[in-house]
Every structure is written in C-alpha cells, then in structure tokens.
Amino acid sequence: MFRKILNSLPFRKKKDGEFDEDMASDLADELGGGITDVHDIDEDVDPDDLPFNELPIEVQTKKLPKRPKSRRSWLSKLLIITLFLSPFGATAVAMIPVLDPETGWRLFHTGGPEATVAVPGSERELQEEIARGVRDIQDRDRAQQDAQTNPDGTPQSAEDIANQLNGVSDLIGSPDQTGEPAANDQPTPEELAALIEEEGSLDDPIEPDPLRQAPLPGLDEEGSFGRIPRIADDGTTPFDAYKRPYEFTSEQPAVAIMLTGVGLNDERTQAAINDLPLNISLAISPYARDLTDIARSAREMGHEVFLELPMEPVDFPLSDPGPRALLTSLSEGENLVRLEWLLARFPGYAGLISHKGSKFGSLDSAIRPVIEFISRSGLMFVEGSSSGVASYGAQLASNAGAPNAIGNVIIDDIPSRRNIDARLADLVETAKRNGVAVGIAQSYPVTIQRLRNWAFRLRRQGVVLVPVSAISGMQVTPQSAVEAEAARRQAEEREQAIMAEEAAQEGDAPPPAATIEN
C-alpha cells in the first residue's frame, strides 16, 4: 500500500521523464516497517490466524462491528422531513380562506363572538340567498297563478288568495311575543293580494324619479373654501329644497334608512344609487372623489343625499374619523373653519349626519357652536349613533327648531346576511313600537343586497319605508327654557369631569426623558 502511495509522489525523474521507481521502493521499505499490505500476505497464511492489528486495513475495516442506527438518527431524519414539508403545509392553510371563505372564517375565529352564525361575505351564503330568492319568486308566481281561478274555473276570493300564500316566507312579518302575528299590523287579505300584484318582480329595475338640480339660486353663499348652504331670502331652507318629497301620515309605522360611506368605492356607490329603493337616503363621505358628480347622479336617480360630518369619538386617536374632523382639542373658531370646509365639499345635500362623534357630541362647548351654525344654514342634523336616545347635539338641534333625527339601529355592525336580517327585524319592531325608527348602515355589498330584498317585502309587514327627511322632528321633543338650561349645566359638569380626568391621566404619565432641548 505504501509502495502505491510513494509511486504516485513526484520524486526525482530520470532523464527520459519517468519516475525513479527504485528510490520510491527503498523509501517504502524504510517507512513500511511492520505494516503489512494486503497483497504482501502469503497465500499459505490464513488471515484468521493473524492478530487483528497485523491484518491489512481493508480487512480490519470489514471485521469491525457495525454500529446500529440510534434513535437520534431517526429523529434527525424526521426533523429534516418536517422542515421540508412545513412550507407546503403553511401554504395549504393560508389558501383555505381563499378557496372557502366560510371555512376559513370559522377556522381563524374559533371561539370568537358569533363565529358560528356571522360569516360575512361567503360564497356559500350568497348561493343560499340566491336560492332563497328564486324559491320566493317561484312561490309568489305560483300563488298569483293559482289566485286567478279555482280548479273548477271560477274566480277565487281574496280570502282564498291569502290562505294559499301562508307558505311564502317573510309574508306577514315576524310574530310577536306570544308567537302569533300581530293582528292589527298585518295587511288584510285584500290589501295583501293588491300588494303582491303591485310589487312585481325583485329583478325589475328601479325607475328614476329625479329631484331638482342643485344648487338652486339663492340657497348658497360664498364661504372661505367655496359655496356653502344658506337660507334663502324668502325663507326657503336647503333642507326643504333638497329633500325628497314625501307625504307622510302617522297611520302606519315608518322606517327610514341612512346608507353611509357612499362615494368611497365606485362599484358600491353605483349599486347604492341604482339598486336601492329611492326612499333610502344616501350619506356621502366628504373624503370621496368626484363628490359633485356622485351627488348629482344620486339626485337624478331620486335619492336625497346627506353629508357625513366627522367628529371626535371617545376612543380617539385609536378610532380616527378622518382629516379635518371636528376635535375637542381645537378651539371653537378652528372647528368652525373645518365645518365650513366640509360644507363646501358639494351642493345639494339636505342635511348632515354625525360620523363617530361620541365624545365631541357630548361636550357643550364643542357641539353647541356647530349645531347653531347648522341651524342658521337651514340644514337637518341626524345623530348617527345607534343609541336610539336623543344625544346632546340632537337635543340642541330640536331646541333650535332645526330638522333632526336620531339613529335607532346599526344594521351592519357585523356585515353578514344573518346579522343584517336580524337587525332589520329589530328595526321593524322598533317602528311598530314607537311609530318611527331610523337605521344606519354602511355601503357594504351584502348590506345593499339585503336592503333591496328587505325593502321589497316591507309593506307586507304593515310598515312603510320613508326618507330620513320625512320623519324630521318626530323623535326628539324640544325642551323648555328651564329644561334646556338644566341640560346645559349637566353638559358643562360632564365636560369639566372629563377634562379633570384627562388632566389626572396626563399627571400620572411619566415625565419626558431629559434631552438637550429641555
């Protein structure tokens, strides 16, 4: 073996270029010593008779015992396989919400509130709703055909028509607490048959009923940032000029819907304008693009429009109402300047609806100048919360004689079909109990779809859909001078308590670290 190694080394060469093999052989004999090459063993000697250390290295290697594979070896292989397959597993889990939104929602919201019933925007729910709508249309068409004649060919009476329609879903509304439909809320059989014939099909397009073009002469004036609304010289207010005309009678309960966030998404905006009933009011965001065109399109279709008024909420700045919002940290003059900027965004709105504003609307020093400015401008003020109780701002508007309304129900706080349907049912019950009710909703696609379906069947429940402007002044009762003064003092005390609490929180905060500047 040593001879082979030495023969490969570059020893002194002869003149003909070959290695000096004699020198390599001598050096191998000197270095080899007692080491035996596998080829140097005599053929007559049995390798088993030789000591182990005298055996060639190749034989020694073969005779060594094989080490069994340890548990660590298997764990190492398992770890390598796991690390190799983990990216594929993570990718598969991440694709679940894409392939099946409902399963993904339930997987990632296990244990969350209403996770088993509120699955917004799933394809499965949309398919169920489409199937339900098809069944309703088929049931209604079948009922209309059966209502025309009896099996013997004689015309049917209105009572026979109503009896045949008992199986149609959502026909006469939800039952009352006793489990029976309210007798005085459901329409008579004759009215029911007339309603079914008048409703037509859910797929029928909504016919436009254009409102007057805006702005109208004399109803605006030059402000710091453009034209802002004002009361005309003849006493006509922008609210009276730009609202949707509607003759409201208190014989039937009425509900009104305010759809907010219009203008922030082009597709949703067009769906809200073209697919929703004209009595649903649209609140346009001041941060949308092409505000004038959006307001013009909505009014040409027949919707009355409102302007969203962003104000500071209780959890500000965690919840940010947007740039140039009205804040309690600003002075009265700065907030009025911001209000002028908001009012000059576009013409043709009948009023304003508060956006957030749970803190700003509760402080007298903050909200009172704003309400006074809105009242002098002849606009309506709508409280956008869902408390159903007159806020301080709505009460101030009522005391000043300005048109006003308050929201009773947030319809899509959870934007799912089931939750929206439940909130709309609550809204109907509130209207039957109080006479009127206002629902506030966002311009989500599922909300627009559910509102259209709900409004199509609303009259069967003995409730009418009216514009928000039609119930102005019907929810908040004006206070007397004594009551108004008492409310003002309570608001001031509440404001002082809030300011003291904020000052205490600032005092408990650690002082800023020392720097070169301070």
Side-chain angles (χ1 to χ4, degrees):
M1 181 172 61
F2 276 95
R3 193 179 306 280
K4 293 179 181 179
I5 296 174
L6 294 172
N7 286 338
S8 64
L9 296 177
F11 292 100
R12 180 175 55 85
K13 297 182 179 181
K14 295 181 181 180
K15 294 182 179 180
D16 56 0
E18 297 181 357
F19 291 108
D20 193 347
E21 296 182 357
D22 296 337
M23 182 181 294
S25 299
D26 295 340
L27 182 59
D29 293 337
E30 295 176 1
L31 296 176
I35 300 179
T36 307
D37 195 352
V38 67
H39 300 292
D40 296 339
I41 301 176
D42 295 338
E43 297 179 359
D44 298 337
V45 180
D46 188 358
D48 295 336
D49 297 336
L50 295 176
F52 182 79
N53 58 351
E54 294 183 4
L55 292 175
I57 189 65
E58 293 88 346
V59 179
Q60 292 182 14
T61 304
K62 293 180 180 180
K63 287 182 174 294
L64 287 175
K66 302 296 184 182
R67 182 179 178 181
K69 294 183 178 180
S70 64
R71 183 179 300 176
R72 182 179 300 176
S73 174
W74 288 106
L75 292 177
S76 300
K77 292 182 180 179
L78 180 61
L79 179 61
I80 293 174
I81 295 174
T82 303
L83 293 176
F84 177 76
L85 296 179
S86 58
F88 298 97
T91 304
V93 173
M95 289 296 294
I96 290 177
V98 178
L99 300 177
D100 190 352
E102 183 172 359
T103 303
W105 175 271
R106 299 186 190 280
L107 177 64
F108 294 110
H109 293 76
T110 302
E114 302 189 28
T116 59
V117 297
V119 184
S122 64
E123 185 68 22
R124 185 178 305 173
E125 287 189 337
L126 180 59
Q127 294 175 358
E128 292 178 357
E129 177 56 33
I130 294 175
R132 180 183 175 185
V134 171
R135 288 195 300 269
D136 287 347
I137 294 175
Q138 292 176 350
D139 291 342
R140 185 175 64 251
D141 293 342
R142 189 181 302 111
Q144 290 177 350
Q145 293 176 1
D146 295 341
Q148 295 178 358
T149 56
N150 284 318
D152 55 359
T154 59
Q156 291 185 342
S157 64
E159 296 181 357
D160 295 334
I161 295 175
N163 293 331
Q164 291 181 359
L165 296 177
N166 289 332
V168 182
S169 61
D170 297 334
L171 186 60
I172 58 175
S174 57
D176 57 10
Q177 297 178 355
T178 61
E180 298 294 335
N184 54 354
D185 288 338
Q186 69 181 40
T188 63
E190 294 80 2
E191 295 174 344
L192 187 61
L195 285 176
I196 294 176
E197 183 177 359
E198 180 183 352
E199 285 175 352
S201 174
L202 183 64
D203 297 329
D204 293 341
I206 298 177
E207 296 295 332
D209 184 15
L211 304 179
R212 292 188 293 178
Q213 293 185 355
L216 295 176
L219 288 177
D220 59 353
E221 61 183 0
E222 192 65 32
S224 302
F225 303 94
R227 309 290 293 182
I228 61 175
R230 76 175 185 94
I231 300 177
D233 296 336
D234 59 356
T236 303
T237 64
F239 169 74
D240 295 328
Y242 298 138
K243 69 178 182 180
R244 176 172 174 79
Y246 188 88
E247 296 181 2
F248 178 71
T249 59
S250 58
E251 297 178 356
Q252 276 186 309
V255 295
I257 300 293
M258 178 76 76
L259 191 74
T260 62
V262 177
L264 298 177
N265 181 280
D266 294 338
E267 184 177 353
R268 298 178 185 179
T269 299
Q270 293 303 318
I273 293 175
N274 299 321
D275 296 343
L276 289 179
L278 302 183
N279 283 344
I280 292 183
S281 306
L282 305 182
I284 302 177
S285 171
Y287 310 120
R289 295 180 298 179
D290 303 326
L291 286 169
T292 303
D293 295 338
I294 295 173
R296 183 186 301 112
S297 299
R299 291 183 56 81
E300 287 177 353
M301 187 67 185
H303 295 279
E304 67 178 13
V305 297
F306 283 73
L307 172 65
E308 287 188 11
L309 183 61
M311 298 188 297
E312 179 181 345
V314 173
D315 55 350
F316 179 83
L318 183 62
S319 178
D320 190 356
R324 300 199 181 187
L326 307 184
L327 305 176
T328 58
S329 59
L330 302 179
S331 65
E332 174 184 336
E334 289 175 307
N335 280 324
L336 292 180
V337 168
R338 292 192 173 197
L339 179 61
E340 277 201 39
W341 180 84
L342 292 166
L343 295 177
R345 297 297 288 156
F346 66 92
Y349 50 87
L352 299 96
I353 176 173
S354 63
H355 176 60
K356 301 184 183 295
S358 53
K359 180 179 180 180
F360 189 92
S362 63
L363 302 183
D364 181 82
S365 62
I367 192 63
R368 182 181 292 273
V370 174
I371 295 299
E372 291 176 353
F373 195 102
I374 294 174
S375 177
R376 291 196 303 269
S377 301
L379 297 170
M380 181 179 183
F381 178 77
V382 181
E383 172 59 43
S385 66
S386 61
S387 62
V389 180
S391 66
Y392 189 64
Q395 188 65 64
L396 289 177
S398 178
N399 295 343
N404 62 88
I406 57 175
N408 297 96
V409 178
I410 298 294
I411 295 173
D412 50 0
D413 51 348
I414 299 178
S416 69
R417 179 180 62 85
R418 295 183 182 92
N419 182 77
I420 293 173
D421 290 347
R423 294 292 183 269
L424 290 173
D426 295 341
L427 185 67
V428 171
E429 293 301 323
T430 302
K432 292 179 179 180
R433 183 171 58 252
N434 301 334
V436 294
V438 177
I440 309 296
Q442 283 282 343
S443 54
Y444 299 130
V446 64
T447 304
I448 296 174
Q449 190 266 341
R450 295 311 303 159
L451 283 176
R452 177 176 173 85
N453 199 335
W454 167 79
F456 185 76
R457 304 183 180 93
L458 184 61
R459 293 186 62 185
R460 306 180 189 180
Q461 305 181 42
V463 180
V464 294
L465 178 65
V466 301
V468 174
S469 60
I471 61 174
S472 170
M474 302 180 63
Q475 295 174 294
V476 184
T477 303
Q479 295 175 331
S480 63
V482 177
E483 293 174 340
E485 180 62 22
R488 185 187 65 81
R489 292 178 180 178
Q490 292 179 359
E492 290 180 351
E493 293 176 357
R494 182 170 58 250
E495 181 176 356
Q496 292 175 0
I498 293 175
M499 294 177 63
E501 182 179 356
E502 292 179 351
Q505 292 178 355
E506 294 178 358
D508 295 338
T515 60
I516 296 176
E517 287 78 3
N518 55 16

